[in-house]
Amino acid sequence: CLVLSGSAGSLGVVVIAFAFFQLLRFFVKMDLDPATFLMTLVVCTALGGLFYYFFSDLLLAALGRDASFTGRDLAWKAYIREIGDDWLFGRGPGAFTTDNAITQTLRDNNDFQGQLIKQPHSSYIALVGDAGVPGLLGYLYCMLAIAFWYPAVFKSRLAMAAASVAMAHLVLGITETRDIFTEGLGQFILAVLWGATLREAGLAMVPAGPARRARSASSRATAGDVATGR
């Protein structure tokens, strides 16, 4: 969706993720302690959100979107009404994210400006519909931790890459459900990067054994030979 859809909105999300990665790199170079890193990152992100709030009309026009996000607001309203009194625990796994009686009824009984909409077009509405408020809070906790806290702790390129993908999920999740909250390429990339981040952090905490020390010494010796021209 981000790369091959030809959507200006998706291109905007790619730009946001890239800018977020560069911001993380800048803070890592400043060598801030985790708490200061986190607070500074949150403030900068909040300023970005305020910028969008005050200049949203210009930004949406530049991306070829309107305030309704091409009719998505109609889907949001219909699915929020469907949640009704089930907001606490939701309607059950897959209620809003699979092709079933609920989504078929919503599709047949609502006018989505002639569009064949089969899902709420919002990861956050889908989360409440599938798993209620606890599901939404759990999802946000995990994604926000990957995007904001762990880059401040690990300060590695892998952690920053995972954080940028998580930020893309958080932003794109406002208007999309498939491949963002549900399984797909986006979740696969995030899982791979996050797994690699944890592996790298785990290896850094493990004391070096004899074989690892020997490889490290050999690498240093080779580097020394290259530097001295031997």
Side-chain angles (χ1 to χ4, degrees):
C1 181
L2 287 175
V3 179
L4 301 176
S5 67
S7 167
S10 297
L11 178 61
V13 173
V14 171
V15 172
I16 290 172
F18 179 77
F20 191 70
F21 182 84
Q22 297 304 319
L23 185 64
L24 291 172
R25 284 187 61 193
F26 176 73
F27 288 154
V28 166
K29 289 180 179 179
M30 291 178 65
D31 197 25
L32 303 173
D33 64 90
T36 305
F37 188 112
L38 176 63
M39 288 189 292
T40 308
L41 184 60
V42 169
V43 168
C44 290
T45 305
L47 290 175
L50 287 173
F51 178 83
Y52 173 80
Y53 178 80
F54 288 109
F55 298 98
S56 59
D57 291 340
L58 293 174
L59 294 173
L60 289 172
L63 293 172
R65 295 289 185 93
D66 54 54
S68 71
F69 289 95
T70 59
R72 283 176 170 81
D73 61 332
L74 299 175
W76 297 340
K77 293 174 183 177
Y79 276 87
I80 289 173
R81 285 195 302 269
E82 184 65 25
I83 292 173
D85 295 330
D86 297 318
W87 57 270
L88 183 56
F89 296 111
R91 302 288 294 275
F96 282 13
T97 52
T98 62
D99 193 11
N100 56 61
I102 295 174
T103 54
Q104 289 177 7
T105 300
L106 287 168
R107 183 178 66 229
D108 296 339
N109 295 345
N110 290 275
D111 179 14
F112 295 133
Q113 296 183 350
Q115 301 180 76
L116 187 62
I117 293 181
K118 302 179 180 180
Q119 38 102 0
H121 269 292
S122 169
S123 295
Y124 306 108
I125 296 175
L127 276 159
V128 177
D130 277 18
V133 172
L136 175 63
L137 294 178
Y139 178 83
L140 287 175
Y141 174 82
C142 294
M143 298 297 284
L144 290 172
I146 294 173
F148 289 91
W149 175 245
Y150 287 108
V153 175
F154 295 144
K155 296 182 179 179
S156 67
R157 286 185 175 272
L158 281 172
M160 292 188 291
S164 300
V165 174
M167 176 56 71
H169 277 66
L170 288 166
V171 175
L172 195 60
I174 298 171
T175 60
E176 295 294 341
T177 304
R178 302 286 170 81
D179 294 336
I180 305 302
F181 165 55
T182 56
E183 69 280 357
L185 180 61
Q187 289 288 7
F188 174 76
I189 293 173
L190 179 60
V192 169
L193 287 173
W194 184 235
T197 300
L198 293 179
R199 180 180 182 276
E200 181 183 59
L203 288 175
M205 296 171 62
V206 175
R212 188 175 170 190
R213 285 196 295 267
R215 287 196 300 269
S216 179
S218 176
S219 298
R220 288 195 297 270
T222 301
D225 290 345
V226 172
T228 57
R230 288 187 291 173

